[in-house]
Amino acid sequence: MSLRSQLLKGILDGCILAVIEKEPVYGYELSKKLQNAGLKDVSEGTIYPVLLRLQKNSYIRGEMQPSESGPNRKYYYLTDTGREALREIAMEWEEIVIPANFLLKMGDSK
């Protein structure tokens, strides 16, 4: 597994919760939003197991809704538990990324 894949695996839950917090989305739409944000290697096949885990942990809930173009789609909504988890993930991320950026960029000052 590449370093990028390992790093992404560690923060993907938070990224998915952040997208769903903005508005309910279905799987394909979610993968497109992640890709448009710069996470080009996140496919539908990558996110569905994460969605199942987030749903099992009660961070999101799924609801089938009619689609204007085809069969019904399962839209995902953030729960109160999911909002709290997202806040915690964001806080933990800041506690890691700020010192990591500082340390990694120290080499640039030489």
Side-chain angles (χ1 to χ4, degrees):
M1 181 182 285
S2 74
L3 177 59
R4 178 178 170 82
S5 294
Q6 290 176 24
L7 292 170
L8 183 57
K9 185 177 180 183
I11 195 60
L12 189 56
D13 288 12
C15 293
I16 288 174
L17 291 174
V19 170
I20 296 172
E21 180 186 41
K22 306 281 184 275
E23 65 180 323
V25 293
Y26 57 95
Y28 177 76
E29 180 182 24
L30 175 60
S31 70
K32 289 300 171 199
K33 286 180 181 280
L34 292 169
Q35 290 172 4
N36 290 340
L39 301 175
K40 303 286 186 209
D41 43 359
V42 177
S43 66
E44 288 176 82
T46 302
I47 63 166
Y48 282 112
V50 177
L51 289 169
L52 287 172
R53 185 177 65 253
L54 293 174
Q55 199 166 5
K56 184 178 177 183
N57 291 334
S58 300
Y59 294 163
I60 61 173
R61 67 178 172 81
E63 184 179 300
M64 295 301 285
Q65 295 182 1
S67 168
E68 295 175 6
S69 58
N72 291 347
R73 293 182 174 146
K74 188 174 193 176
Y75 280 81
Y76 295 94
Y77 295 83
L78 201 62
T79 64
D80 290 340
T81 304
R83 276 188 192 79
E84 183 57 36
L86 178 56
R87 278 192 290 276
E88 187 175 323
I89 290 167
M91 198 169 59
E92 293 288 336
W93 178 251
E94 286 297 316
E95 290 178 10
I96 292 169
V97 78
I98 291 171
N101 277 336
F102 174 77
L103 291 167
L104 293 171
K105 293 183 189 274
M106 280 178 43
D108 292 345
S109 63
K110 291 181 183 179

